[in-house]
Amino acid sequence: MLIVMKFGGTSVGSAERIAQAASLVTDARSNGHRVAVVTSAMSGVTNTLIDAARAASKGQWDPTIRQRLFELHRTAASVLVADEASRARVTEEIDRRLDRFEKLCFGLSMVHELTPRLLDAISGIGEMLAAPLVAAAIRSRGSGSESVDATDILVTTDQFGGAEPIMEETRARTTTQLGPMIARGDAPVVTGFIGATIDGVQTTLGRGGSDYSASILGAALDADEVWIWTDVDGVMTANPSEVSDARTLAEISYSEASELAYYGAKVLHYKTILPAFRKRIPVRILNSFNPSHAGTRVSVEGDPSVPGVKAVTSIRGVSLIGISGTGMQGIPGIVAKAFDVVAEQQSNVLMISQASSENNICFVISAAEAPGVVKALKSALEFELARGHIEEIASQPVAVVAAIGDRMRGTPGIAATVFGALGSERINVIAISQGSSERNISLVVEEKDAAAAVRALHQAFRLDRTGVPA
Ligand code: ASP
Ligand code: MG
C-alpha cells in the first residue's frame, strides 16, 4: 500500500531520532509498501526561528543563532551520512537555507517590521533544514530518497500564518512531482508545515501544521493510509497526567477525533483530519519512540463495538459569559445580537447553552477574549439593559469537561451516569450542553473541579477497561 508517513519534531529531534525515522521508512519499504515522507522541523527549531525573527524586527538580531542552527543540523548530518560527498551536499544545502534565514532577519532588523508574510518565510525554514537530512538518512540506509520543498507542490491561499490548501492544484503538482519518485520505489521527503501561493510566495499552514501537510498530501496522492509518527502511543481515553489509568484507544472515528481535538486533546488538530476524511483515508497515530505499539487508528467507522463514552477531556483557560434577566423571555433578537458581537470580536464560541425559560443564555469563550466580549456586549445591548430586559452580563473563569463518543447516541443512561458521578464527587455543574449529534456532552465546571470531574467520569464509564458504560 501507499503510506504517507509524517514525523513530528521530536521524531526528528536528533541524529538518533532521524536514524530511527529513516529505519521506520526503510522497514515499511522492505515490507512492500510505497512511502512518501513528510517531516517537521527538528524539535525547538521553529520556535527558535520565530523568536529570532521577532527579535530581529525589534533591532535585536543575534548572529550566533545561525551558527547554532547550523551546528545542530551539521552534527546530525555527520552522524547520519557516512558518504563524504553526500554529506557535503547536505551540509551545503543547509548552509544555503540558513543564508536566506540570516538575510531575511537582517532585513527585518533594518525595517523594524515583521509582516505575517515574512514570518512565514522565516518560520518555515526549519522544515527546509530537516528534509535534506531525513532524505540523506534514508539514502544511507539503502533506499532511494530526495527532499522536496512543499512550496513546489502544496499550493495554498495567501492567509499567511494559517493558509488553506488549494486541493486541485496541489493534487496536479503532487502527482506530477512525487508520482514518478514513488513509482520507482523512492521515498520522497516533503517539508511539512509550509506551502506556497499560486504565485510561489511561501506560506505556512499554522503551528503544528505538518500533520495537516501529511493529510493533504495523503489525499492528493490517494494514499491508502496516513501514519503520524509522534511521541505518544496514540489517542488516549483521557489526559494521562490527569488520569493515571488512562489508556490508548485502538480505533476512533474521524468525528470522535475531531471532537477530541476540539476539546483539547493535543494529538491531532481537527483540521488535520479533513482532507483524509474526505477521501476516507485512515490515519494512524504512532509512537516513534515505541514503534511496536499499534497506536490509534482513525477511520470512518471508528470502533462500532464500543458503545457509550470513549474518552473524557477538558479545556482550561476559558470563561463562561452569561446574559440573564427575567425580561429576556420572548424578546426576539437578543441571541442574534449577542452572537453578532462575539463574531465581531472574532471570538470563537466553544459551547452554548440556553434554558427553555429563556431567562439566561450562556456560552464559553477563551478567557483572554472575555473582557473585550463583555464590554462589547454591554454596549450592543445597552437598550435592553436600560429597559431591564437584561439584568446582567457577566463572565467567570471556568473549565469545560467533555465526554465524547459516537455511540453515545441512542445509548440511554449516559447523562444519568455523568451526573451521578459528578454528584457523588460533590462537583457542581454550572452549565450543560449536548449537541443533537449526541457525540458529546459538555459540562461547565469551576476550574478547580476540572481534574476531579475528568477522573470521576473516566471511572464511571470504566474507561480504564472497555469503555462500556457503568
Ligand atoms: N514545525 C512546525 C511547528 O513547530 C510544524 C509542526 O511541527 O507540525 O509548528
Ligand atoms: Mg511539531
Side-chain angles (χ1 to χ4, degrees):
M1 69 184 174
L2 172 57
I3 306 168
V4 171
M5 284 196 184
K6 178 262 174 175
F7 294 95
T10 53
S11 296
V12 292
S14 64
E16 193 196 354
R17 303 305 312 149
I18 295 175
Q20 164 76 350
S23 301
L24 291 166
V25 172
T26 49
D27 286 352
R29 291 278 309 110
S30 333
N31 290 332
H33 300 304
R34 291 169 298 145
V35 180
V37 178
V38 172
T39 187
S40 289
M42 291 178 79
S43 55
V45 169
T46 311
N47 285 338
T48 303
L49 294 167
I50 291 173
D51 292 348
R54 295 222 165 100
S57 70
K58 293 188 188 113
Q60 295 144 7
W61 164 241
D62 172 1
T64 65
I65 292 173
R66 175 193 173 141
Q67 200 49 36
R68 272 189 277 139
L69 287 172
F70 181 70
E71 281 310 317
L72 175 74
H73 292 85
R74 191 194 58 83
T75 313
S78 67
V79 176
L80 290 164
V81 193
D83 176 66
E84 210 168 306
S86 163
R87 189 168 65 229
R89 235 190 3 261
V90 171
T91 316
E92 248 166 58
E93 185 153 16
I94 288 165
D95 202 35
R96 226 180 15 253
R97 291 172 169 202
L98 284 169
D99 219 33
R100 180 175 148 77
F101 163 63
E102 191 169 32
K103 286 197 176 110
L104 285 167
C105 283
F106 189 70
L108 290 178
S109 70
M110 304 294 289
V111 297
H112 284 238
E113 192 195 342
L114 181 55
T115 60
R117 174 175 167 151
L118 269 168
L119 186 59
D120 274 7
I122 293 172
S123 64
I125 288 175
E127 275 69 13
M128 300 169 98
L129 300 170
L133 265 180
V134 175
I138 294 171
R139 279 198 302 274
S140 66
R141 272 164 185 71
S143 266
S145 183
E146 258 172 73
S147 69
V148 176
D149 283 347
T151 46
D152 292 333
I153 56 176
L154 208 162
V155 183
T156 73
T157 60
D158 63 359
Q159 290 153 282
F160 297 102
E164 289 296 333
I166 299 171
M167 279 314 284
E168 217 167 300
E169 190 61 32
T170 299
R171 166 181 286 274
R173 295 197 193 184
T174 302
T175 42
T176 325
Q177 298 204 33
L178 301 188
M181 295 183 190
I182 296 169
R184 68 170 176 261
D186 287 2
V189 179
V190 183
T191 53
F193 182 46
I194 60 175
T197 65
I198 197 94
D199 303 321
V201 182
Q202 187 171 315
T203 55
T204 68
L205 304 172
R207 290 309 304 272
S210 298
D211 291 348
Y212 199 21
S213 308
S215 171
I216 293 165
L217 294 178
L221 286 166
D222 280 322
D224 296 289
E225 290 197 357
V226 174
W227 293 8
I228 308 279
W229 289 102
T230 177
D231 52 13
V232 293
D233 286 339
V235 180
M236 301 192 74
T237 51
N239 181 345
S241 66
E242 217 158 64
V243 180
S244 58
D245 53 8
R247 63 180 176 86
T248 304
L249 289 155
E251 180 125 22
I252 58 175
S253 70
Y254 295 113
S255 51
E256 286 166 340
S258 66
E259 293 277 356
L260 278 165
Y262 191 71
Y263 285 98
K266 286 205 194 69
V267 180
L268 261 192
H269 194 283
Y270 73 98
K271 253 193 356 193
T272 304
I273 299 157
L274 274 182
F277 164 72
R278 289 200 184 104
K279 290 264 172 123
R280 306 287 191 264
I281 302 170
V283 178
R284 282 181 199 275
I285 320 286
L286 296 159
N287 189 352
S288 75
F289 294 77
N290 184 18
S292 59
H293 194 289
T296 300
R297 185 170 183 272
V298 186
S299 63
V300 179
E301 315 78 36
D303 182 353
S305 69
V306 181
V309 173
K310 264 180 139 167
V312 185
T313 171
S314 66
I315 320 185
R316 317 298 171 90
V318 291
S319 285
L320 180 75
I321 311 288
I323 304 175
S324 50
T326 42
M328 280 164 63
Q329 269 177 39
I331 298 194
I334 290 185
V335 175
K337 264 194 198 166
F339 287 110
D340 270 349
V341 167
V342 177
E344 271 163 28
Q345 298 288 310
Q346 309 223 325
S347 178
N348 182 33
V349 178
L350 293 165
M351 70 170 260
I352 305 170
S353 167
Q354 176 184 335
S356 60
S357 71
E358 298 175 42
N359 288 344
N360 172 294
I361 55 169
C362 61
F363 54 90
V364 175
I365 59 175
S366 137
E369 292 162 352
V373 167
V374 168
K375 191 161 166 242
L377 281 171
K378 283 185 174 161
S379 123
L381 296 167
E382 203 182 358
F383 176 78
E384 289 80 355
L385 279 161
R387 298 282 299 259
H389 295 156
I390 295 176
E391 279 146 29
E392 195 183 23
I393 299 175
S395 95
Q396 89 184 85
V398 291
V400 176
V401 172
I404 287 158
D406 281 352
R407 281 165 196 83
M408 283 165 53
R409 183 184 194 112
T411 311
I414 302 238
T417 307
V418 167
F419 295 113
L422 297 182
S424 57
E425 292 296 314
R426 314 201 64 73
I427 294 166
N428 181 38
V429 178
I430 303 167
I432 310 158
S433 158
Q434 175 186 297
S436 60
S437 72
E438 296 180 45
R439 285 197 177 102
N440 166 335
I441 298 181
S442 304
L443 310 149
V444 176
V445 297
E446 275 187 53
E447 220 163 355
K448 68 170 176 49
D449 291 334
V454 170
R455 277 195 291 273
L457 296 181
H458 197 269
Q459 168 73 29
F461 289 100
R462 309 259 167 91
L463 297 186
D464 56 322
R465 283 180 265 163
T466 57
V468 176

